[in-house]
Amino acid sequence: THDQSVFSFYPDFHACRGFEEALRRYREIAPHLRLAGPTSFAPVIKASIDIVEQSGGQYHILLIIADGQVSTAGDRLSPQEESTINAIVDASGCG
């Protein structure tokens, strides 16, 4: 999704119930994906904020499975790092 959006593990967008189901679906889906950078976790963090807000602030755990790291642009933060950091800050006030 080129660090811009997220996709559901299921066509009907229902959530996984627990870590084991999420891992099982990942293993089913991963062989059919082409994962590539740059990596930004901001879209999935922002989507998780929406899920928490829609649930009325229920407790959730966000598990991120990735094929790489958010890379730096030399001695300064990359745009992906900046957006990931900003999303984490936004999520810290969520719920």
Side-chain angles (χ1 to χ4, degrees), residues 57-69:
Q58 282 185 318
Y59 183 79
H60 290 75
I61 296 173
L62 171 61
L63 171 66
I64 298 175
I65 302 171
D67 70 330
Q69 64 184 17

Side-chain angles (χ1 to χ4, degrees), residues 69-82:
Q69 64 184 17
V70 178
S71 48
T72 59
D75 60 348
R76 65 187 197 293
L77 295 176
S78 69
Q80 293 78 24
E81 285 175 310
E82 286 186 24

Side-chain angles (χ1 to χ4, degrees), residues 2 6 23 31 42 46 59 72 79-80 94-95:
H2 300 287
V6 297
L23 186 58
K46 290 176 182 176
Y59 183 79
T72 59
Q80 293 78 24
C94 184

